[in-house]
Amino acid sequence: MDKKVNKKIEISLSNNKKIQLPIIESTEGPDVLDVRALYKESGYFTFDPGYLSTGSCESKITFIDGGKGILLHRGYTIEDLAKHADFMEVAYLLLHGDLPNIKEKEKFEKNIRYHTMLHEQMKTFIQGFRRDAHPMAVMVGTVGALSAFYRDSEDFSNSRQRLISTHRIIAKMPTIAAWAYKYSLGQPVIYPNNKLTYAENFMRMTFATPCEDYVSNPVITKAMNQLLILHADHEQNASTSTVRLAGSSGANPFACVAAGIASLWGPAHGGANEAVMNMLLKIKRNAKIKDFINRAKDPEDPFKLMGFGHRVYKNYDPRASVMRDACHNVLNELGRKNNPFLAIALDLEDAALNDSYFIKKKLYPNVDFYSGILLWALGFPLSMYTAVFAVARTVGWVAHWKEMIEDPTRKISRPRQLYTGHKKRDYIELDKRQKRKSIIKAISSIIKKGYQKS
Ligand code: SDX
């Protein structure tokens, strides 16, 4: 993208030298201060652990306005996409920049369906795990292992080989997640059925058995389709940034997505949906909502109210609103409208949103707060919650990987640091170290005694 620069910021350094840094205009959201020349011009690094104020890349895929609670994918609102689109349309949109026409959609869906099967040896690979392995552990291992299976397309500078890799990864994730679940149950795996949509196929591979015909429930399929869309992409979140960083060295995209799965697994990220449900289960077993709220507010207690807060949203996460409505609809249509978890979640949300701590810190429900209830209603066990998130987010990971690889200005990501360790010191022979340590210990205890007397 030709960058629009028409403003600069001048910085006066301690040696009276002045440097100017360009400001690059965005199409939406904050403009950026281009600091690429800062170190060369000033000898200073920037310091921003956790990237609170740092843009790691330029992207056209997703825009979030955290203050207004807006989420756009290539300019389309998440509300519109969740209401009108199907997951394959959103996948095409994220990958290629616009919604597909009829022909493009049919071709894309055919390409994805064509790659949903796994190599038969992957069954043996999955059987190497313990039955009680967490599905996310199985997914990290299996997706990483798939980087050994496609020797025919490892030249990622070749657009055709890149495209087939993106299709393979997106297509195989539901099969891997479903097979990991079937393996944990000791049930035979169910093969993909090319007559079904992506969401239907995933539900059937997860819940069907060879003993009876599986009948898709349109309510469930629609809810799964929405859930996949709501989790598809979210700008430079931790797992997407992991995939981008791993991919910046030119690494195999299957291996990069495995790294993304690993990052998503954490409870501060995609693992929060499982943690929310555990919290609701405890409340259902008579834990008090106010105890969770008080613990979340206690600076001495590391507990965070799971499903609340967000690095970017300081307003309601728009996905949480759509997810809450989907919960109501699915539970009503499944005849479970008196679901205890939804009632507890609504009470917990109400208590938090009216509490001054949460109001002051602008902590609102995020995508994970209601997704667990929807996954419960769809029949998923807790252990599969983050695996479902990974299936959906694969589309975002692959879209960002593709955008990064196709960026002609791409460089390997290699952050710098603030070093506060030892200055240069001489090597000490082994027989002299223990003596040195005991001398230092003796001196420090004398100094300590001296302090105590004074
Ligand atoms: C996802 O990045 C993405 O886009 C992620 C995601 C995506 O689609 O990819 O949206 C998916 O990961 C959603 C988030 C799921 N995680 C959780 O629900 C776990 C609970 N939430 C927190 O861990 C936290 O809110 C984070 C990790 C989500 C965000 O943390 P930040 O941005 O680093 O903010 P912070 O932890 O510095 O919080 C700011 C303040 C802190 O208090 P002070 O140090 O200023 O006194 O708010 C407090 C925090 O202690 N706080 C919370 C809280 N979240 C933040 N206090 C209680 N409960 C919480 N949930």
Side-chain angles (χ1 to χ4, degrees):
M1 172 169 103
D2 52 329
K3 297 182 179 48
K4 282 175 72 181
V5 175
N6 54 17
K7 285 180 279 183
K8 290 182 184 288
I9 279 194
E10 185 170 89
I11 298 179
S12 307
L13 302 174
S14 47
N15 55 6
N16 292 327
K17 184 182 171 193
K18 290 188 186 319
I19 61 169
Q20 295 205 326
L21 295 173
I23 291 175
I24 303 174
E25 260 187 38
S26 68
T27 49
E28 285 279 6
D31 294 342
V32 297
L33 179 61
D34 184 348
V35 294
R36 283 176 288 185
L38 178 69
Y39 178 57
K40 197 174 68 188
E41 305 265 325
S42 74
Y44 289 108
F45 293 145
T46 58
F47 181 62
D48 186 13
Y51 303 109
L52 288 150
S53 305
T54 296
S56 59
C57 64
E58 172 189 346
S59 180
K60 300 177 175 58
I61 298 174
T62 290
F63 171 69
I64 304 170
D65 182 326
K68 296 186 187 125
I70 291 171
L71 169 55
L72 304 178
H73 289 317
R74 303 283 191 179
Y76 296 96
T77 66
I78 191 63
E79 292 86 351
D80 276 351
L81 293 171
K83 193 169 167 198
H84 303 295
D86 76 23
F87 183 58
M88 285 293 97
E89 278 179 280
V90 174
Y92 185 95
L93 171 70
L94 291 170
L95 277 169
H96 300 296
D98 225 321
L99 288 167
N101 60 32
I102 294 171
K103 226 164 135 243
E104 287 163 338
K105 184 169 186 280
E106 276 168 9
K107 186 169 175 243
F108 182 71
E109 281 181 327
K110 186 167 170 287
N111 280 333
I112 297 297
R113 274 194 194 120
Y114 182 73
H115 290 292
T116 46
M117 273 181 51
L118 288 177
H119 192 291
E120 270 303 284
Q121 277 172 229
M122 289 316 285
K123 257 196 299 193
T124 323
F125 183 87
I126 291 175
Q127 284 158 4
F129 287 94
R130 286 170 47 130
R131 291 278 181 187
D132 63 353
H134 194 290
M136 287 299 276
V138 177
M139 289 183 82
V140 169
T142 308
V143 173
L146 280 176
S147 55
F149 277 74
Y150 303 106
R151 309 306 312 266
D152 65 329
S153 53
E154 292 182 339
D155 172 8
F156 306 113
S157 62
N158 173 303
S159 58
R160 231 196 78 60
Q161 295 191 31
R162 251 195 329 271
L163 193 64
I164 193 170
S165 302
T166 59
H167 291 162
R168 279 173 169 150
I169 297 172
I170 292 171
K172 295 179 194 305
M173 283 301 266
T175 314
I176 293 167
W179 284 20
Y181 177 52
K182 284 298 185 189
Y183 176 68
S184 74
L185 297 175
Q187 287 184 4
V189 296
I190 300 291
Y191 286 89
N193 174 338
N194 288 352
K195 294 192 194 73
L196 302 178
T197 65
Y198 192 91
E200 278 174 327
N201 232 339
F202 181 33
M203 292 303 285
R204 180 179 166 275
M205 288 190 284
T206 306
F207 295 112
T209 66
C211 323
E212 54 192 39
D213 292 341
Y214 177 83
V215 180
S216 293
N217 175 330
V219 172
I220 298 254
T221 304
K222 180 171 172 254
M224 175 46 72
N225 188 58
Q226 274 196 320
L227 201 136
L228 292 169
I229 291 172
L230 291 170
H231 287 85
D233 187 52
H234 212 239
E235 197 211 70
Q236 306 309 322
N237 57 86
S239 53
T240 301
S241 299
T242 302
V243 172
R244 275 184 172 261
L245 196 141
S248 71
S249 69
N252 183 298
F254 281 93
C256 298
V257 168
I261 295 170
S263 170
L264 185 74
W265 191 0
H269 191 8
N273 54 17
E274 187 177 337
V276 168
M277 207 59 188
N278 277 319
M279 195 170 62
L280 298 180
L281 278 163
K282 284 182 190 145
I283 296 172
K284 184 166 175 289
R285 291 183 201 124
N286 301 326
K288 296 272 171 289
I289 285 180
K290 68 174 174 32
D291 294 347
F292 281 103
I293 299 274
N294 293 337
R295 279 193 59 196
K297 292 159 60 176
D298 179 355
E300 302 309 314
D301 188 332
F303 174 78
K304 296 256 192 316
L305 194 66
M306 301 318 277
F308 261 75
H310 200 276
R311 170 62 56 77
V312 179
Y313 290 121
K314 302 308 170 192
N315 198 321
Y316 217 98
D317 182 335
R319 302 169 296 176
S321 318
V322 179
M323 200 76 79
R324 186 190 52 219
D325 299 346
C327 279
H328 278 296
N329 299 340
V330 171
L331 291 168
N332 282 342
E333 289 169 13
L334 293 178
R336 298 182 186 166
K337 62 180 172 195
N338 302 323
N339 171 280
F341 297 121
L342 185 56
I344 293 168
L346 291 167
D347 289 347
L348 181 56
E349 175 188 335
D350 187 50
L353 293 184
N354 288 295
D355 182 287
S356 56
Y357 171 89
F358 288 82
I359 295 167
K360 183 165 160 278
K361 290 187 187 291
K362 298 184 178 173
L363 302 173
Y364 289 86
N366 58 48
V367 68
D368 292 304
F369 189 65
Y370 285 102
S371 61
I373 302 167
L374 192 53
L375 287 163
W376 179 87
L378 298 182
F380 285 92
L382 262 174
S383 62
M384 281 292 287
Y385 282 20
T386 311
V388 175
F389 194 153
V391 169
R393 187 51 57 89
T394 295
V395 163
W397 290 331
V398 164
H400 281 272
W401 172 79
K402 180 175 177 293
E403 183 179 65
M404 182 267 303
I405 284 286
E406 293 173 354
D407 176 353
T409 66
R410 166 169 72 96
K411 282 185 171 308
I412 187 166
S413 295
R414 202 276 184 221
R416 303 308 299 269
Q417 64 176 8
L418 165 66
Y419 176 71
T420 54
H422 281 287
K423 289 184 181 296
K424 185 172 169 301
R425 52 182 172 158
D426 297 332
Y427 182 78
I428 300 157
E429 294 305 327
L430 180 59
D431 61 350
K432 296 190 178 54
R433 283 174 215 159
Q434 195 41 48
K435 269 187 227 143
R436 185 174 180 280
K437 271 195 176 162
S438 44
I439 292 166
I440 288 171
K441 207 169 160 204
I443 294 169
S444 53
S445 66
I446 293 164
I447 293 167
K448 207 168 150 193
K449 281 192 188 106
Y451 271 133
Q452 279 158 355
K453 280 196 186 110
S454 62

